[in-house]
Amino acid sequence: MLIKEKILLDSKVVQKPGNIVSDMDGEKVMLNIDNGNYYNLGEIGGVIWEMIKEPISIERLIYLLMEEFDVEKKDCERHVISFLTNLSSESLIKVSNR
């Protein structure tokens, strides 16, 4: 079993290559070339996906999302970490705690 890095506020995340992403009715959908799975990232998940094209800290990502959407910091942190944990468990992102 592969051990994944825990996602912390000072972690950095970035997309892994090998995914085809397109827009469908305002939501992002993705096909992972490696495993053949489709993922519906949703509207906000699609925004997050775009923001992690380049390595970015979780703190910075949360700050940018709070600027774009009317959301409390605690709620934003919880949802972002949960979303990124799911992406990490599917090996769709790289997490660095260094």
Side-chain angles (χ1 to χ4, degrees):
M1 180 175 155
L2 184 61
I3 306 241
K4 302 285 182 194
E5 294 264 4
K6 182 170 171 75
I7 297 176
L8 309 169
L9 289 177
D10 61 348
S11 300
K12 287 199 173 189
V13 294
V14 67
Q15 298 175 0
K16 281 189 177 177
N19 300 295
I20 299 172
V21 180
S22 33
D23 285 309
M24 288 185 80
D25 298 324
E27 295 188 353
K28 295 255 190 236
V29 293
M30 176 171 53
L31 169 65
N32 181 279
I33 301 299
D34 293 334
N35 65 19
N37 289 339
Y38 281 94
Y39 303 91
N40 182 345
L41 300 177
E43 182 182 346
I44 296 174
V47 170
I48 294 171
W49 185 255
E50 291 300 314
M51 290 179 168
I52 64 172
K53 280 185 177 179
E54 299 293 326
I56 185 172
S57 74
I58 304 299
E59 283 182 312
R60 178 78 179 140
L61 181 60
I62 289 167
Y63 174 79
L64 293 172
L65 289 167
M66 286 173 50
E67 279 192 335
E68 188 161 338
F69 301 97
D70 183 22
V71 62
E72 295 289 324
K73 184 175 184 187
K74 190 176 261 334
D75 290 336
C76 190
E77 285 177 5
R78 185 170 39 87
H79 288 293
V80 167
I81 289 174
S82 174
F83 179 74
L84 294 174
T85 298
N86 289 336
L87 292 181
S88 179
S89 72
E90 294 290 325
S91 298
L92 299 172
I93 61 173
K94 180 179 177 195
V95 179
S96 173
N97 290 323
R98 292 169 193 84

